[in-house]
Amino acid sequence: MELTRRSFLAAAGAVAAGAACVSGVAPAWADEEASEAQEELAWKTVVCEGCPGGCGLRLGLREGAIAAVEGDVDHPLSEGKACLRAQVLTELQQTGGDGLGEAIANPRRLTRPRVRRAGSDQWEDIPWDNALAEIAGLVKQTRDETFVKKEGKVPVMRTEAIASFGGAHLPVEEQYLIAKALRGWGVVHLDSEIAFGRRVFTEGVRATCGIDVPDGSWAAIAQADVVLTVGSDHAASQPLSTRWARRAQERGATWIVVDPVRTRTAEMADIHLPLRPGTDTAFFGGLIRYIIEQNRWQPEYVLNFTNASYLLSPTFSYDGGSGLFFGWNPVDGAYDKEPWSYQIEGTDTWNMRYGGEFAWVRDENVPVWTLPSAPKPRRNITLQDGASVWVQVKQFYDRYDLDTVSALCGVDRAVLERVYETFSATGTTEAAGKILAGPGLVQHATGAQAVRAATMVQLLLGNLGVLGGGISYMGGGSGEAAAALAGLDPTSFPGALPWPTERTPTLQAWLEAHTEPNGTHAQSAKALVPALKEWWGEAASFENDYGFSWLPKRREGADFPLVWDALAAGGVRGCFVWDTDF
C-alpha cells in the first residue's frame, strides 16, 4: 500500500486505539510513591457509560475523590482493559495541575448548585436546599397553571408546559425514577439521547423481526465468520470493540467495513467499500438480490422463522414506475395499510383452560377486555405462489443488480461483488455473520429503511439467534438501550409498552389496542398491571383500573410535537436536562 499522509495518520490512530485496549489504565501518577499510596485507596467497581460497551472499571477513591482508575479484570467484555475515557475520570474532582504530582481541586468541578436569574448574565451559587425548593416551587406552579384534566370527555391528565430531555447515560434505576416522577406530574414532552440514532435503529429492527435488540454482547463478535461494519468508526469511538473483531480475524474471519471514509476501523479491516454517502439502502438491496439470485439463503430458516411463505392479500401491489405501494393517499401523505394483510384460513383462540398458556386471564382481578383471536395466515411452502411474500420480495429487489448498485453507490463492481460473495457465504448452518451498524447508517431520512434492509439480510442468511450473528448498534452510550425500557421515550411506558394516548384513554381500550394475539405482547396485561401497582401503590385497584386514568395521555399522531418542536413553539415554560450536553 502506498504510504500517504492519510494512511499514515489512520494507521497511527489504529495503533493508538489498539494500545489503549491492550493494557489497563494506570493510576494517575505511576511512580513509586503513587504506587504505595494506591494501597490506601478505597476501591469501587463501576460501569463506564461512555459508549455502548459498558466496560467495567475500578475506581480508587481517596476521601471520596477519584484518585486512580483501572480496568475490572472480572468484567466479561472489557477483561481488565480500558480506553482513554477512563483516564479522564481522574480529572473530575482533582487534577495534578501544579505539575508536581500534588492533587488539587479541579477548578471546573461544581460542588454547589448555581442559578442565573432572569435578566442576568452571571451565575451565582446557592445552597442545595434553596435550589431544590425553587425547582419544586416552579414545577408545582407551572403544573397547577397548565394542567389539563380532560379534553372533551377524555381524561388526559397532562401538562405540556414542562419538558425533559436526557438521562440515557444515567444508571437504569435513576432513568426509571425520572420517568416515573415526570409522568406522575403529567409530563408528556419527555425524551432522551436515544432520539439521536438508537430509536431509528430500533424502529427498523422491530419492523422486521418484532424485537428491539436482536443481538448478543460484544464478546459474540469473536465467534463471527464475517464481520460487516456499516457507518461506524468504532475503532476510534469504542476501541475495545475492535478486540473482539480482531479475535474473529485470528480465527479466520473476514472483516468488512462499508464507509465513505477511510477510517481507523477501515484500516484494520480486510475489505473496505467506500460507498457514496446515503446509498446504504441500495447497498443492502443489492445484497438481498445477490443472496436470492445466488441461492445463498437458508431455506429451513426462512420457511420456519420468517413470513416468506405467507400469502398476501390480492389487493397488495407495488408500482415500480411511481415507487409506491397500493394504498397511498397523496392528500394525507400516508399509506392506508388495511390492504397490507395476509390471506386468512382461520383463527386460533387463546387457550384459557387450566394449565393453558392464557389461564391467567381467568384469575381474580384481571382487567376485562375483548380477547384477541390469532389469525392463521394461508401459506405456500413451495414459495412459488405469486401472492407469497417470497415472490413479492424477489420482484421488489430484482432491480438491484450489481451494475445498478455499483453505479448508485459509486464503487467498483468487482469489490462490491466480493463483499456480497463474502458476507452471503454465512448463509449456512456452519457459519455466522455479524452486522455492526453505526450512526452513519441511521442518521439519514431513510435510516430506518436501511436498518430494515440490513435485518432482512440477516433473516435470509439465518444470522439472527445464532452465536456470532445478529445486528448491533455501535453508537450512543451504554445506557441508551435501557433508557427506552425504563420509559425515557415519548411513546413508551417502562417495559417497552406503548404509552397511552387520547385514543386509548381507558385500560380496556389500551389492552384491546395493544394486546397481540400471540407472541411477547400477548402478555401486555401481565406487564402493565403490576407496573401500575408499583407506580400508584395501594391506591391502584381493580375497581379503578389500577389508576390507568391517572396516566398523562399524549395527543395522537403528527399533531403531537416532539420535545424540540414543543420547545421551539414556545409553549414549554421549563425543561429538565439530565446528564447531557446537546
Side-chain angles (χ1 to χ4, degrees):
M1 180 183 73
E2 180 183 359
L3 182 63
T4 64
R5 181 176 181 273
R6 175 182 290 273
S7 63
F8 172 80
L9 291 175
V15 171
C21 301
V22 169
S23 60
V25 177
W29 302 279
D31 53 21
E32 292 184 4
E33 294 181 1
S35 179
E36 293 175 0
Q38 186 179 13
E39 299 177 1
E40 303 173 0
L41 301 178
W43 290 91
K44 180 180 180 180
T45 301
V46 299
V47 174
C48 179
E49 298 286 341
C51 80
C55 299
L57 301 176
R58 295 182 72 242
L59 306 183
L61 306 179
R62 181 183 295 113
E63 297 180 357
I66 302 173
V69 182
E70 64 182 29
D72 179 11
V73 295
D74 295 323
H75 195 279
L77 298 183
S78 53
E79 298 178 327
K81 307 300 185 291
C83 72
L84 295 179
R85 286 189 182 92
Q87 185 70 67
V88 178
L89 295 177
T90 61
E91 302 290 318
L92 287 179
Q93 295 160 298
Q94 296 181 338
T95 179
D98 60 1
L100 300 176
E102 294 293 332
I104 62 174
N106 190 330
R108 300 183 63 187
R109 174 72 176 183
L110 298 181
T111 59
R112 300 183 66 186
R114 310 187 79 187
V115 62
R116 187 171 63 186
R117 302 296 180 186
S120 174
D121 61 352
Q122 300 295 321
W123 291 90
E124 60 179 270
D125 291 344
I126 61 174
W128 277 100
D129 289 345
N130 291 14
L132 294 174
E134 286 194 34
I135 293 171
L138 288 171
V139 168
K140 186 178 187 307
Q141 178 185 351
T142 302
R143 183 183 185 276
D144 290 346
E145 294 175 354
T146 62
F147 193 74
V148 179
K149 290 186 177 181
K150 287 188 176 182
E151 287 282 359
K153 295 183 178 181
V154 177
V156 294
M157 307 296 287
R158 68 178 179 232
T159 173
E160 297 190 51
I162 302 175
S164 172
F165 187 85
H169 295 165
L170 296 173
V172 66
E173 295 85 357
E174 295 181 11
Q175 293 176 356
Y176 177 75
L177 289 175
I178 291 172
K180 180 180 178 180
L182 270 69
R183 294 295 198 184
W185 301 341
V187 174
V188 290
H189 296 313
L190 181 149
D191 209 339
S192 66
E193 293 89 336
I194 58 176
F196 296 145
R198 180 170 290 276
R199 180 176 299 132
V200 177
F201 175 81
T202 298
E203 290 296 330
V205 169
R206 185 191 297 137
T208 311
C209 55
I211 56 177
D212 294 355
V213 187
D215 177 57
S217 67
W218 275 1
I221 299 174
Q223 305 302 318
D225 296 282
V226 181
V227 179
L228 176 60
T229 296
V230 186
S232 173
D233 187 14
H234 53 97
S237 60
Q238 301 138 56
L240 265 70
S241 66
T242 62
R243 299 175 63 243
W244 302 102
R246 283 295 200 196
R247 290 185 184 182
Q249 286 179 308
E250 292 169 0
R251 291 179 50 254
T254 302
W255 188 0
I256 304 169
V257 171
V258 177
D259 198 296
V261 181
R262 186 74 173 180
T263 62
R264 297 180 185 179
T265 309
E267 289 291 344
M268 302 174 72
D270 300 293
I271 307 174
H272 174 220
L273 185 72
L275 84 174
R276 183 176 288 121
T279 60
D280 309 275
T281 305
F283 166 78
F284 282 112
L287 180 53
I288 290 173
R289 168 174 168 156
Y290 186 90
I291 291 169
I292 296 173
E293 188 177 57
Q294 299 298 321
N295 203 31
R296 296 293 186 95
W297 56 287
Q298 272 200 57
E300 184 177 359
Y301 187 100
V302 169
L303 279 171
N304 289 285
F305 302 112
T306 77
N307 64 347
S309 63
Y310 292 7
L311 301 184
L312 293 164
S313 169
T315 57
F316 180 85
S317 62
Y318 174 75
D319 182 0
S322 64
L324 297 173
F325 292 92
F326 179 82
W328 173 253
N329 187 328
V331 177
D332 296 337
Y335 282 104
D336 174 14
K337 299 180 182 179
E338 189 65 29
W340 298 9
S341 58
Y342 300 120
Q343 298 179 31
I344 304 302
E345 59 181 8
T347 57
D348 288 331
T349 57
W350 282 7
N351 178 10
M352 295 184 291
R353 295 189 297 271
Y354 179 79
E357 181 182 3
F358 297 98
W360 58 269
V361 175
R362 297 183 179 275
D363 292 347
E364 186 178 1
N365 293 335
V366 172
V368 177
W369 79 99
T370 303
L371 302 180
S373 57
K376 298 170 62 176
R378 191 183 303 277
R379 300 180 64 193
N380 181 279
I381 61 174
T382 68
L383 303 182
Q384 300 301 311
D385 193 305
S388 68
V389 172
W390 178 256
V391 172
Q392 294 288 333
V393 167
K394 288 177 64 177
Q395 292 175 352
F396 180 82
Y397 284 103
D398 187 59
R399 75 202 65 202
Y400 290 91
D401 59 87
L402 282 168
D403 291 327
T404 300
V405 174
S406 61
L408 284 171
C409 295
V411 296
D412 183 83
R413 186 185 187 280
V415 178
L416 179 67
E417 186 172 11
R418 181 187 173 197
V419 169
Y420 285 175
E421 181 181 4
T422 302
F423 196 77
S424 64
T426 63
T428 69
T429 56
E430 292 79 27
K434 178 79 167 182
I435 296 180
L436 304 178
L441 180 67
V442 303
Q443 291 179 351
H444 297 279
T446 57
Q449 290 89 330
V451 174
R452 178 154 163 66
T455 312
M456 287 178 62
V457 166
Q458 295 296 67
L459 285 174
L460 288 170
L461 297 174
N463 279 332
L464 292 183
V466 298
L467 184 62
I471 176 169
S472 299
Y473 180 61
M474 307 296 287
S478 63
E480 287 192 9
L485 295 175
L488 292 183
D489 182 283
T491 62
S492 297
F493 191 87
L497 299 171
W499 190 265
T501 68
E502 292 179 354
R503 295 184 184 178
T504 55
T506 65
L507 180 57
Q508 179 179 348
W510 187 93
L511 289 171
E512 291 175 354
H514 300 300
T515 303
E516 299 293 339
N518 45 39
T520 302
H521 290 292
Q523 312 289 334
S524 294
K526 295 177 69 175
L528 180 63
V529 170
L532 291 173
K533 288 181 178 180
E534 197 282 324
W535 275 38
W536 308 126
E538 295 181 358
S541 66
F542 174 77
E543 289 73 21
N544 63 16
D545 280 347
Y546 300 101
F548 183 88
S549 62
W550 302 331
L551 296 175
K553 313 302 187 298
R554 300 172 53 250
R555 283 190 273 126
E556 187 75 32
D559 63 338
F560 179 77
L562 299 174
V563 170
W564 310 110
D565 301 323
L567 290 169
V572 175
R573 298 186 187 181
C575 179
F576 289 91
V577 178
W578 309 92
D579 193 38
T580 186
D581 184 13
F582 59 84

